[in-house]
Amino acid sequence: MGRADDIRAAALELFTRLGYEATTMADIGRAVGIRGPSLYKHVASKQDLLAQIMIGTMEDLLAAHRAAVASSDGPVSLLRRATEAHVRYHARHRLEAFVGNREIRSLAEPHRGRVLALRAQYEAGFRAIVDAGVREGCFTVASPRLVSYAVLDLGMGVAAWYREDGELSEDTIVWQYGDFALRLAGVKPQG
């Protein structure tokens, strides 16, 4: 990891623990052993760090979604794989999920608009799968948009409670949440 990565990781941890507003650039510098003006050689501003974290998170989620659906065929498989990728990402990146949900209000333009556009694109990917499943008769739902929102909430919820040393393994949770998504879409999952 390079210095910029260390700074981003420190900012992520501090934004999670203290909140964006309460975190200072001095706090971030202290966390990585850089003082005052030297920190600005590596990052433009605290706002820039928040934008990097939130935009990077959405770009990572979109890449995981694309990979999941590229390896699948048909709406049932697509929804399962996309959900599994979503839940797995949130289990592995809890801090990013927490900051992404809590700190959207702290993003200034144009960063806020970019993150919101990426979020809309991500949701639309899930909705397109559900729409296709409805058209093909695989899914029985009144609102594909509502199902896509519910599936997104599944992953965000995992980020709040999942722990590696918990009762259930990541793979067990990912598989079970894939079942939940299919049930939300009106499919009875196969064992």
Side-chain angles (χ1 to χ4, degrees):
M1 235 171 47
R3 185 58 100 178
D5 292 332
D6 292 342
I7 292 167
R8 184 184 172 280
L12 176 62
E13 191 277 325
L14 289 164
F15 294 164
T16 301
R17 189 164 41 90
L18 304 175
Y20 174 80
E21 291 300 327
T23 300
T24 66
M25 287 297 278
D27 295 331
I28 297 166
R30 230 181 341 274
V32 294
I34 298 176
R35 290 162 63 152
S38 297
L39 186 59
Y40 290 98
K41 291 179 184 174
H42 303 282
V43 64
S45 67
K46 185 172 77 163
Q47 179 67 202
D48 215 41
L49 281 168
L50 182 62
Q52 285 176 28
I53 290 165
M54 294 181 78
I55 291 167
T57 296
M58 289 312 307
E59 288 173 343
D60 290 347
L61 280 165
L62 283 160
H65 182 86
R66 283 191 297 274
V69 300
S71 66
S72 301
D73 188 18
V76 172
S77 177
L78 288 169
L79 184 58
R80 173 176 280 289
R81 296 297 168 245
T83 301
E84 289 174 348
H86 178 68
V87 170
R88 192 174 302 281
Y89 181 89
H90 283 78
R92 293 181 179 178
H93 300 276
R94 293 186 309 273
L95 300 184
E96 289 88 343
F98 182 80
V99 169
N101 287 326
R102 184 176 74 181
E103 299 297 350
I104 188 73
R105 69 187 189 279
S106 299
L107 271 180
E109 292 299 346
H111 305 304
R112 187 173 198 276
R114 180 153 182 223
V115 169
L116 291 175
L118 290 168
R119 283 182 174 190
Q121 180 184 350
Y122 189 60
E123 182 275 328
F126 281 92
R127 188 169 11 100
I129 294 168
V130 179
D131 280 336
V134 169
R135 279 193 312 276
E136 293 180 25
C138 304
F139 302 154
T140 54
V141 299
S143 172
R145 182 181 299 270
L146 192 57
V147 171
S148 69
Y149 289 156
V151 170
L152 294 175
D153 282 346
L154 290 174
M156 292 183 282
V158 166
W161 62 263
Y162 174 74
R163 298 295 174 263
E164 290 85 0
D165 60 353
E167 177 184 341
L168 300 171
S169 72
E170 178 184 301
D171 287 339
T172 298
I173 292 164
V174 164
W175 178 261
Q176 185 64 58
Y177 273 56
D179 283 352
F180 294 161
L182 295 177
R183 288 185 184 130
L184 287 167
V187 173
K188 182 172 181 183
Q190 305 287 318

